[in-house]
Amino acid sequence: SEKSVSGKELKSNFSILNADVKTNSSRRLKYDELLKCHLIYALTSTGKRLSITEIKKSAQNLIQERDAMHYLKSLIESNSIDILNEIKDKYIHWNEHYISLEMMVKTYLEQMKNEFSVFEYGCTKRYIYTIDPPVIFARVLNAKQNGSLLLNRMQCIALKLLSNQNYLRNAHSILFNDFNDSLAVDLLKAALRDRNGDVNVDKKVSLEQKDSGNRVFYKIPEDVSLVLHNNSDGFGQNIETEGPSSLDGVIGCFSNAYMALERSRDDLTSKIWK
């Protein structure tokens, strides 16, 4: 943006617009601006998103695309215990976008805190967590390098921070689908090295085995739960309509999950685990 934006916390009486109201373009624009300001407030240490002009003036904090992957790799492999402080003023210039490194990492961090809090609280066994990197959602970042690689590094930094904050106490394994990112597994191992081997890090394909009919299945150790992270942008209707072409569709075709769908409920996102 050409203008800087100051964050502002949502008021306690903030309410989510219903689907009909969201079709009103002027009300939707105001609504989206409130959400953006709240994100800036919550995900930046200064409570402000800089303008492009301000970002360019601080050249020492602007990381060019050609240097971005090396810089992120160095953060993952570092012994720093204060990564969030190191990245708070850093921006990445990527395919004409100016990306706040702090906001991106904190977005992953907050999402994964919620996710792993549920596992740590709700899984009676140790668990295997799988990662399939986002591809479709990363297309907006495509440039000389695949945009998903950039997001993978952000997620890896977030996992390093989670590990340092002791959020992975019951994790058995973290398995990464490295079909388009050959460095990811080694970087995840570096990110979690302070776990002293408590958390196994490997390729997702290491779970796969074949039976006598050459069918692939997952071999899960006894007394371990399997968690498949699904990069869905619309879980619900997809499990009824997509068929076995996606993970959503597989859930719909081979389980009774569709019976639990109640899209009329207004409390689906009202509870955040802590």
Side-chain angles (χ1 to χ4, degrees):
S1 172
E2 290 297 334
K3 295 182 179 180
S4 63
V5 180
S6 295
K8 186 176 181 180
E9 188 176 16
L10 289 174
K11 295 181 179 179
S12 59
N13 62 350
F14 174 81
S15 60
I16 299 173
L17 295 184
N18 62 43
D20 290 335
V21 177
K22 285 180 181 178
T23 61
N24 182 309
S25 58
S26 62
R27 290 195 63 179
R28 179 61 186 265
L29 181 61
K30 292 178 182 177
Y31 177 79
D32 287 348
E33 286 302 314
L34 286 174
L35 294 179
K36 289 176 184 176
C37 287
H38 180 73
L39 289 173
I40 293 169
Y41 169 85
L43 298 175
T44 64
S45 53
T46 61
K48 181 181 179 181
R49 187 193 68 191
L50 300 180
S51 67
I52 292 176
T53 301
E54 289 172 321
I55 293 170
K56 288 180 176 178
K57 284 182 179 178
S58 183
Q60 72 275 14
N61 288 325
L62 180 59
I63 304 162
Q64 297 298 333
E65 182 180 325
R66 63 181 178 274
D67 303 316
M69 301 304 288
H70 176 76
Y71 177 76
L72 296 174
K73 181 174 180 287
S74 69
L75 285 178
I76 294 166
E77 295 176 336
S78 76
N79 293 318
S80 173
I81 59 173
D82 199 13
I83 289 178
L84 288 179
N85 187 54
E86 292 182 28
I87 66 175
K88 69 179 183 180
D89 296 318
K90 294 287 192 295
Y91 285 79
I92 294 177
H93 186 200
W94 184 278
N95 192 23
E96 300 182 1
H97 300 282
Y98 289 85
I99 302 170
S100 166
L101 183 52
E102 180 182 32
M103 286 192 71
M104 287 292 290
V105 168
K106 284 186 175 179
T107 297
Y108 263 117
L109 182 60
E110 293 304 316
Q111 175 252 311
M112 298 185 82
K113 276 184 179 180
N114 283 331
E115 200 170 9
F116 279 92
S117 293
V118 174
F119 306 150
E120 295 290 327
Y121 178 84
C123 286
T124 57
K125 309 173 183 178
R126 297 190 73 192
Y127 55 87
I128 295 171
Y129 180 82
T130 68
I131 299 173
D132 287 278
V135 177
I136 296 174
F137 307 141
R139 286 176 183 165
V140 69
L141 296 174
N142 280 354
K144 296 176 183 177
Q145 300 187 72
N146 192 320
S148 65
L149 300 185
L150 182 65
L151 298 183
N152 292 348
R153 301 297 177 267
M154 305 284 189
Q155 186 177 32
C156 196
I157 293 171
L159 277 168
K160 180 184 180 77
L161 293 169
L162 276 183
S163 177
N164 291 343
Q165 296 170 16
N166 206 25
Y167 267 83
L168 307 177
R169 293 183 298 274
N170 294 322
H172 175 282
S173 301
I174 293 180
L175 306 181
F176 191 94
N177 188 349
D178 66 341
F179 70 95
N180 72 342
D181 189 352
S182 59
L183 294 179
V185 172
D186 285 339
L187 289 176
L188 279 171
K189 288 179 178 178
L192 301 181
R193 63 173 176 262
D194 290 340
R195 304 294 301 189
N196 295 320
D198 287 345
V199 181
N200 174 54
V201 177
D202 207 340
K203 300 179 180 181
K204 185 180 176 184
V205 72
S206 66
L207 274 182
E208 296 180 1
Q209 293 193 16
K210 293 183 179 180
D211 62 14
S212 57
N214 209 35
R215 293 172 297 186
V216 176
F217 64 97
Y218 286 159
K219 179 68 174 178
I220 311 300
E222 291 186 16
D223 298 322
V224 175
S225 299
L226 175 63
V227 177
L228 298 174
H229 178 93
N230 184 20
N231 293 320
S232 174
D233 62 339
F235 181 80
Q237 183 177 337
N238 293 359
I239 76 173
E240 298 175 325
T241 60
E242 289 192 349
S245 62
S246 70
L247 185 53
D248 284 349
V250 168
I251 292 170
C253 289
F254 302 105
S255 78
N256 62 355
Y258 70 92
M259 297 174 66
L261 286 180
E262 291 185 55
R263 283 187 286 276
S264 61
R265 286 171 51 191
D266 60 7
D267 64 335
L268 291 176
T269 57
S270 65
K271 184 163 186 177
I272 301 296
W273 289 76
K274 292 294 183 184

